[in-house]
Amino acid sequence: MKLAEVINSKNISEGSKRTYLSILRRVEADGFKIPYGKSEMINRISEYIENLEKTTQKLDVLNIIISIRNELDVTSDKIKELRDTFRQKRVVDNVEVMNDLKDKLMSLSEFDTKLQAIYDNKEYANFVVNYLFRNFGVRNKDVDVSIVNRKKDTDSGNYLWIRPKSISYIRRDYKTKGTYGEKKYEITDKQFRVAVRKLGQGPILKTGLLTNVLKKVIITKESDVFKILIDDAYSREDWDEIKRLSESRGTNIKTIAENYHLNADGKDKI
C-alpha cells in the first residue's frame, strides 16, 4: 500500500499534506514501516521513536501513524496512549522554555513605545505590520496583506479594505483557516487608518521570501509578540483578552497555555 496516497486523500489543507508527506519520507528513509494493519505493533513503534532526539519528533511520528490508521479505519488505542505520554512530556519541556524566556522578552509597554516611534517616523508599512501583530496576535503570513478600496477586488488572500470610517482586516489565507474559517475585523484606530490610507492600494510588503522581508520590518518576531501579549493578559488575569487573542490568532486555549504563557506551570486553566 502506498501511504502517500492515503495522506493525499485526506480532507486536510495542502500545507498539512506537505508536512505529513515530509514526515513519512523521513520515517521511510530510516527504514521504519508504519503499521497499518489490525496489530498496532506498539513495541516496534516504541523502539523506533526511542531513537528520536526531540519530543516533537516523536509526536510527529505518532501523529502520522494515528492519522493514517484513522483513514484506514483501524484502531490505535495503544498508540494514542503512548502519544498522550509524550504530549505531557512536551508540556513540561515547554514550561521550562517559557520560564527561561520571561526575563529576556520586552514588556508590552516597551513594544508599544517602539510602535509609536515607528508611526511618528512615518514608516507606515512597518507600523501596519507591527500593529496587526500587537492587536491580533497573528502569524507572519497573516500580515502579508494588500490594501484595496473595493471588496470585490479581494480573493483568497489577506486584505485591508479601506472603508469610510474603518479599515476591514480580512484574513482568508492563514495557518488554521481550515478550522476557523475566514476572519474579519473592523479597525477604527485613527493612526492605523491614516497609515493605511498613506500607503494606498496594493501589497504593503516588498516581494521576496516573507521571513527575510519581515526581518527588516518587525519590532520582534511574531511568536515573541504573542508571548508578550499572553503574558500581559495572564498577569492581569484578563481571561477575556486571552480568549479574544485565541480567537483572533486561530489557536485554541490549551495550545496557548502550553506554548505561549511565560509563567506557565503546566496547570493553567481558563
Side-chain angles (χ1 to χ4, degrees):
M1 177 179 292
K2 294 184 178 179
L3 298 183
E5 293 179 359
V6 177
I7 292 172
N8 282 318
S9 69
K10 286 179 66 64
N11 185 25
I12 55 177
S13 70
E14 291 303 313
S16 295
K17 287 180 182 179
R18 287 194 294 271
T19 299
Y20 278 171
L21 290 170
S22 175
I23 297 168
L24 177 62
R25 286 193 294 270
R26 187 174 69 224
V27 167
E28 291 179 337
D30 288 341
F32 179 75
K33 293 183 179 181
I34 290 179
Y36 53 82
K38 289 184 178 181
S39 173
E40 296 185 51
M41 303 209 175
I42 193 67
N43 291 334
R44 187 158 65 84
I45 293 173
S46 297
E47 289 175 5
Y48 172 67
I49 65 173
E50 186 178 344
N51 295 316
L52 300 176
E53 180 182 359
K54 298 180 180 179
T55 302
T56 53
Q57 292 174 319
K58 300 176 194 290
L59 284 168
D60 283 344
V61 172
L62 292 171
N63 283 334
I64 194 173
I65 292 173
I66 292 169
S67 180
I68 288 172
R69 292 177 66 85
N70 285 346
E71 198 71 14
L72 297 173
D73 200 27
V74 287
T75 59
S76 306
D77 294 341
K78 293 180 180 178
I79 304 172
K80 289 178 181 178
E81 288 178 7
L82 183 61
R83 180 176 65 177
D84 288 342
T85 300
F86 285 107
R87 278 179 169 172
Q88 187 55 44
K89 174 66 166 57
R90 181 178 61 183
V91 170
V92 174
D93 292 345
N94 285 344
V95 165
E96 294 177 358
V97 171
M98 292 299 101
N99 290 171
D100 287 342
L101 270 176
K102 63 185 177 183
D103 295 325
K104 299 176 183 178
L105 296 181
M106 70 179 71
S107 67
L108 186 57
S109 61
E110 289 173 321
F111 185 94
D112 287 343
T113 298
K114 291 178 182 291
L115 181 62
Q116 185 60 49
I118 291 172
Y119 180 82
D120 292 341
N121 289 334
K122 300 181 179 180
E123 300 170 16
Y124 295 124
N126 297 7
F127 175 80
V128 167
V129 166
N130 286 285
Y131 180 98
L132 295 176
F133 282 143
R134 163 64 173 86
N135 288 277
F136 298 97
V138 291
R139 302 175 181 86
N140 286 346
K141 189 176 185 180
D142 308 17
V143 300
D144 189 9
V145 296
S146 290
I147 298 171
V148 296
N149 285 328
R150 303 175 302 178
K151 188 177 182 180
K152 69 179 183 178
D153 292 331
T154 67
D155 51 37
S156 59
N158 301 321
Y159 296 91
L160 296 174
W161 172 26
I162 299 176
R163 309 189 72 180
K165 296 182 180 180
S166 67
I167 304 295
S168 293
Y169 178 30
I170 302 170
R171 285 161 60 210
R172 296 171 179 156
D173 183 18
Y174 65 100
K175 183 178 180 180
T176 52
K177 197 256 186 181
T179 301
Y180 296 97
E182 176 183 315
K183 291 186 177 292
K184 181 182 175 184
Y185 303 94
E186 296 301 320
I187 302 173
T188 58
D189 179 86
K190 183 178 179 180
Q191 289 187 342
F192 187 83
R193 290 167 59 201
V194 168
V196 171
R197 291 177 182 276
K198 289 285 187 182
L199 288 169
Q201 293 190 79
I204 69 169
L205 294 173
K206 296 178 180 178
T207 57
L209 185 64
L210 183 59
T211 52
N212 291 338
V213 173
L214 285 175
K215 284 179 182 178
K216 300 176 182 179
V217 172
I218 59 176
I219 294 172
T220 189
K221 61 183 181 180
E222 60 88 2
S223 59
D224 284 350
V225 178
F226 196 63
K227 292 182 182 79
I228 292 167
L229 294 172
I230 293 300
D231 183 57
D232 176 76
Y234 264 110
S235 69
R236 295 182 287 104
E237 296 188 354
D238 190 342
W239 314 129
D240 287 339
E241 175 65 0
I242 294 173
K243 290 174 182 176
R244 184 191 73 82
L245 289 166
S246 167
E247 190 280 332
S248 64
R249 183 176 177 88
T251 298
N252 65 55
I253 295 291
K254 185 174 184 291
T255 299
I256 289 174
E258 292 177 358
N259 295 278
Y260 296 100
H261 180 199
L262 298 178
N263 293 290
D265 59 8
K267 302 176 183 178
D268 296 292
K269 303 290 182 185
I270 298 177

